[in-house]
Amino acid sequence: MAEPLPHILRSDAEDNRVRVLEAARELFSERGLEVPMRAIARRAGVGPATLYRRYPTKQALIEAAFTDELRACRAIVAEGCADPDPWRGFSSVLFRIGELNAHHQGFIDAFMSTFPDAVDFAAHRAGMLRALAELCRRAQATGAMRSDIVIDDLVLVLMAGRGVSAATDELRVAAARRFAALAIEGFRATGAEEPLPPRAHVASFVLTRP
């Protein structure tokens, strides 16, 4: 039996939306927020009319792309926290957030400087940090994570990861994965850890890509 046409149309529309937002984030990262809408339509493989029908202005598209980036962050953290093995979940969060940042760091920086009040960063940051703090607590309870880790340490690593830079997207992702792997080893309990220096109170810093 043939699939109902309305369902097919909804599926096509969702596929177009996903491609447009990903293309927008890629091009904004590569070329800045001034990239033409038509270039985004070409990268996404849709016609200009399709793009303008959903996003009639450049700012609407920029804000939608940024909101989608935050949604991707929340999904990564939620999936990591849902893992029955908290250490595995914690490790996956560091790897996946690092890769996300590596792909789109130019776009996020440009958005923050151009539209600093467009999104409630504080609420986003607070929710992510609460979830990650609980994930760390669970990992410590299993003995997998060193007991003297605090949420500020994770914030430091996430902030440092934003500074990973390379000439190409592929190299940035490779560097981000290497950095995440090194950081994860620093969080791991080994039974022979040297005490950490005093904690750095950085959890109040603005984190747009936790």
Side-chain angles (χ1 to χ4, degrees):
M1 182 177 180
E3 190 174 19
L5 184 58
H7 177 77
I8 296 174
L9 292 175
R10 286 195 298 271
S11 178
D12 287 346
E14 176 61 15
D15 288 345
N16 286 342
R17 185 192 72 84
V18 171
R19 288 202 306 273
V20 164
L21 292 180
E22 180 59 24
R25 290 189 293 178
E26 288 176 357
L27 283 171
F28 290 145
S29 293
E30 295 168 11
R31 297 164 54 182
L33 300 184
E34 299 306 312
V35 64
M37 293 279 274
R38 286 183 176 273
I40 294 170
R42 284 195 300 273
R43 174 73 66 93
V46 303
T50 298
L51 177 60
Y52 280 105
R53 185 162 54 247
R54 182 176 286 272
Y55 305 107
T57 67
K58 170 74 76 64
Q59 183 165 344
L61 176 58
I62 291 171
E63 292 183 2
F66 188 79
T67 299
D68 200 57
E69 182 85 355
L70 296 188
R71 187 180 299 114
C73 267
R74 288 192 292 269
I76 289 171
V77 172
E79 289 168 17
C81 290
D83 194 315
D85 181 336
W87 177 254
R88 183 174 61 198
F90 172 79
S91 299
S92 75
V93 168
L94 282 191
F95 274 118
R96 295 175 64 195
I97 290 294
E99 290 180 359
L100 188 68
N101 287 348
H103 281 302
H104 303 137
Q105 64 185 20
F107 168 48
I108 301 303
D109 293 340
F111 181 92
M112 288 176 58
S113 63
T114 307
F115 305 106
D117 301 318
V119 175
D120 187 351
F121 296 128
H124 170 75
R125 179 180 66 246
M128 296 298 95
L129 291 181
R130 280 195 301 270
L132 290 170
E134 174 60 17
L135 182 60
C136 289
R137 186 198 65 75
R138 289 172 49 215
Q140 288 172 323
T142 68
M145 179 180 287
R146 53 185 299 160
S147 61
D148 53 356
I149 290 295
V150 294
I151 190 62
D152 300 281
D153 301 322
L154 180 55
V155 174
L156 276 173
V157 168
L158 294 172
M159 290 172 62
R162 289 187 58 192
V164 171
S165 182
T168 67
D169 185 73
E170 182 180 5
L171 290 175
R172 280 196 304 274
V173 171
R177 289 189 60 82
R178 177 82 174 183
F179 177 80
L182 291 169
I184 287 167
E185 289 308 307
F187 285 96
R188 189 190 301 273
T190 65
E193 301 93 352
E194 290 292 327
L196 292 171
R199 66 185 293 181
H201 294 276
V202 296
S204 60
F205 287 14
V206 172
L207 275 180
T208 59
R209 295 184 293 172

